[in-house]
Amino acid sequence: NCAASNTSSGCIEKPNSDQTCRVTSRWLSADSECNWCGNTCNPDFCLTDIQVERNNQAGTIPNEISELTNITSIRLEKGSIAGTIPTTIGALTNLNFLDLDFQQLSGTIPSDLWDLTKMEQLDLNDNMLTGTIDSRVGNFAE
């Protein structure tokens, strides 16, 4: 079960390609994550989309990302997220769009990522990732 309620008035500003959202006003607040700027939820208040680009995001991607089982899109382009892409990201079987480019990610791309057959777009450029692109990339949706 996802968030119990959607109690506040919604997102301050939904970003588009030319603007950023004012994350500091609600991001990681006690409000439902459905009300955090840049997030979208389904009618059951389950998080389906994170779109927080160009907001100087920092830190690491937590292993708990795997708990976002309804997520279809993660767009965290152009920030300062460091560390590795957690292997648990492979548990996001509904994920069809992952944009982590222009970050400071390092290490290899988790092999479980290649098993996400609903994936339509994967953007990991301009990081410090190493290794090869797995042939299973061909299993991604078109």
Side-chain angles (χ1 to χ4, degrees), residues 20 29 33 55 61 86 103 108 113-114 128 131 134:
T20 58
S29 69
E33 62 273 6
N55 271 291
I61 302 171
Q103 298 290 349
T108 59
L113 187 65
W114 306 117
M128 297 171 280
D134 193 289

Side-chain angles (χ1 to χ4, degrees), residues 54-69:
R54 300 177 186 93
N55 271 291
N56 298 318
Q57 318 91 314
T60 60
I61 302 171
N63 287 325
E64 291 81 8
I65 195 165
S66 64
E67 296 176 20
L68 300 176
T69 57

Side-chain angles (χ1 to χ4, degrees), residues 88-114:
T88 57
I89 205 161
L92 302 178
T93 58
N94 291 309
L95 193 62
N96 61 36
F97 192 103
L98 180 61
D99 185 352
L100 299 174
D101 58 359
F102 296 97
Q103 298 290 349
Q104 297 174 13
L105 296 167
S106 59
T108 59
I109 300 170
S111 61
D112 290 347
L113 187 65
W114 306 117

